[in-house]
Amino acid sequence: MIDNIASYILVMLGGSAYNIWLLKNYFDTVPKELDESAIIDGANAWQRFIKILLPLSMPMLVVIFLFTLMGAFGEYVLAGTIIQSPQNYTLGVGMYQMISGKFAQSWGEFAAAALLSALPLTILFGLLQKYIASGLVAGSVKG
């Protein structure tokens, strides 16, 4: 399982207990009256989840997606342990190799790579900002 990109992906897909806890607490804030009114209207459990809970939880799902993606971008310990060959290096391990040799002094290239690696996350955060902002003000106005 060492030096196999599939095993690394499998480890990263294991998820995080923090994300599960975050989503569970978010679902606890959803009013039970919404669920009860859907039951009275004749919705089954799957319909209640798809049509009521999932749209309401979209801001938290976006936040969990961004947290997971940022964690994968910055993860170094597992990638450095599991992946050994240079063609399979992740971003963090590859960038560390730029500056870790005995005579490695490519700090300019390292800084440029760090800036470019932050660009996709910045763009994605900008595109998903409306979901994050809507989650912040959800339920703040009664009526």
Side-chain angles (χ1 to χ4, degrees), residues 114-135:
L115 188 62
L116 288 176
S117 69
L119 194 60
L121 287 175
T122 305
I123 291 170
L124 192 61
F125 183 79
L127 292 174
L128 297 175
Q129 186 66 30
K130 67 178 181 175
Y131 294 106
I132 296 170
S134 70

Side-chain angles (χ1 to χ4, degrees), residues 19-133:
N19 291 340
I20 295 168
W21 176 75
L22 197 62
L23 192 59
K24 184 253 181 217
N25 285 335
Y26 188 79
F27 278 133
D28 286 346
T29 64
V30 175
K32 292 183 184 2
E33 290 82 12
L34 290 174
D35 198 40
E36 292 170 355
S37 65
I39 291 172
I40 291 173
D41 289 341
N44 61 24
W46 183 250
Q47 289 172 332
R48 290 190 315 253
F49 178 72
I50 293 295
K51 294 184 178 182
I52 296 173
L53 289 177
L54 200 58
L56 286 175
S57 66
M58 193 58 76
M60 186 53 63
L61 292 174
V62 167
V63 167
I64 288 173
F65 171 74
L66 285 173
F67 280 170
T68 304
L69 191 63
M70 288 187 314
F73 261 64
E75 203 281 315
Y76 174 76
V77 175
L78 285 174
T81 304
I82 295 173
I83 298 174
Q84 303 294 322
S85 58
Q87 66 266 20
N88 290 337
Y89 281 167
T90 61
L91 186 63
V93 176
M95 286 178 56
Y96 177 73
Q97 295 301 321
M98 291 175 68
I99 58 170
S100 67
K102 184 176 181 181
F103 299 105
Q105 296 181 0
S106 22
W107 287 100
E109 291 89 358
F110 177 78
L115 188 62
L116 288 176
S117 69
L119 194 60
L121 287 175
T122 305
I123 291 170
L124 192 61
F125 183 79
L127 292 174
L128 297 175
Q129 186 66 30
K130 67 178 181 175
Y131 294 106
I132 296 170

